[in-house]
Amino acid sequence: MRDEVDQLVLSWRQERPDLDVSPLQVLSRVSRLARHLDRARRAAFAEHGLEPWEFDVLTTLRRSGEPYELSPGALLRATLVTSGTMTNRIDRLAAARLVRRRPDPEDRRGVLVSLTELGRARVDEAFADLLRREHDLLAGLGAGDQQTLAALLRTILVPFDSGQNGA
C-alpha cells in the first residue's frame, strides 16, 4: 500500500539525497490527516448548525459537568483565546440561545456562562455525530493499533502541551 507521502519522500530523496527526509514519513502524514480530520469535524458541526469555535466553547461547558457553567476567564483559558475574542463568542452564543450569562453569586463583578438546554442538546448531537465520523476514520486500525498510535502521538505532543518544546 502506497500513499502520496511515499511519492513525496521518493521525490525529495532523488532531488536532495544529501538530506535525511525521514521525518516526512511521519509528519507529512500527520499534517495530511489533520486536514482530513478538520474537514470531517467541520462537516459534523455544520450539520448541527455549529461553527468549530462554537463547538469548542459548548463542549468546554458540557465537559465541566453539572451545572455546565464556567466563568468567561475559565472558558478563555480552556479554549486558548483572548478575552475580547471570548466576550464576542459568548455574545454570539447567547444571541443564539445556546448559552446564558448570570451574575456570579460569589463575585459581584463576575458573571457565569452556562449551557442552555438548547445548547446542551445541540452539542450532544454534534459530539455523537463527530464520534461516529472519527470511528469511521480509524476503522482501518484495530483497537491495539489505535492505542499504540495514541501513545506514540502523546509522546510527541506532551513537550508541546507542557511548553517544553518552545512552541
Side-chain angles (χ1 to χ4, degrees):
M1 178 175 13
R2 297 182 60 76
D3 65 8
E4 290 185 29
V5 173
D6 290 320
Q7 183 57 47
L8 179 133
V9 169
L10 180 62
S11 296
W12 277 119
R13 284 187 175 146
Q14 289 172 348
E15 292 300 314
R16 293 295 310 266
D18 57 311
L19 296 177
D20 176 10
V21 296
S22 61
L24 297 176
Q25 293 279 2
V26 174
L27 300 177
S28 289
R29 285 186 175 96
V30 169
S31 178
R32 293 175 61 78
L33 181 59
R35 285 194 296 271
H36 289 295
L37 180 57
D38 184 57
R39 285 187 198 126
R41 287 181 165 198
R42 286 179 182 278
F45 305 154
E47 285 188 20
H48 299 279
L50 296 172
E51 292 291 330
W53 67 264
E54 291 171 310
F55 183 83
D56 196 24
V57 174
L58 296 174
T59 55
T60 300
L61 288 166
R62 182 65 169 97
R63 287 191 318 266
S64 72
E66 290 273 2
Y68 312 114
E69 178 173 83
L70 294 169
S71 71
L75 280 169
L76 72 91
R77 284 188 297 278
T79 58
L80 304 175
V81 298
T82 65
S83 63
T85 298
M86 183 52 66
T87 297
N88 180 271
R89 289 179 177 186
I90 293 167
D91 288 346
R92 291 174 64 184
L93 289 168
R97 298 186 345 260
L98 299 174
V99 302
R100 71 176 150 273
R101 287 184 177 96
R102 72 177 185 90
D104 185 340
E106 305 204 4
D107 178 0
R108 290 185 322 175
R109 298 174 301 158
V111 297
L112 294 173
V113 179
S114 57
L115 204 52
T116 63
E117 286 301 317
L118 176 63
R120 181 176 171 187
R122 180 95 45 96
V123 76
D124 281 354
E125 291 169 6
F127 186 56
D129 189 18
L130 173 65
L131 289 176
R132 280 190 293 278
R133 291 168 190 258
E134 290 186 353
H135 279 287
D136 289 347
L137 285 172
L138 294 172
L141 296 177
D145 287 340
Q146 288 182 36
Q147 289 176 350
T148 299
L149 180 58
L152 292 169
L153 292 171
R154 183 182 304 110
T155 300
I156 295 170
L157 283 172
V158 164
F160 289 97
D161 289 346
S162 66
Q164 297 172 4
N165 217 350

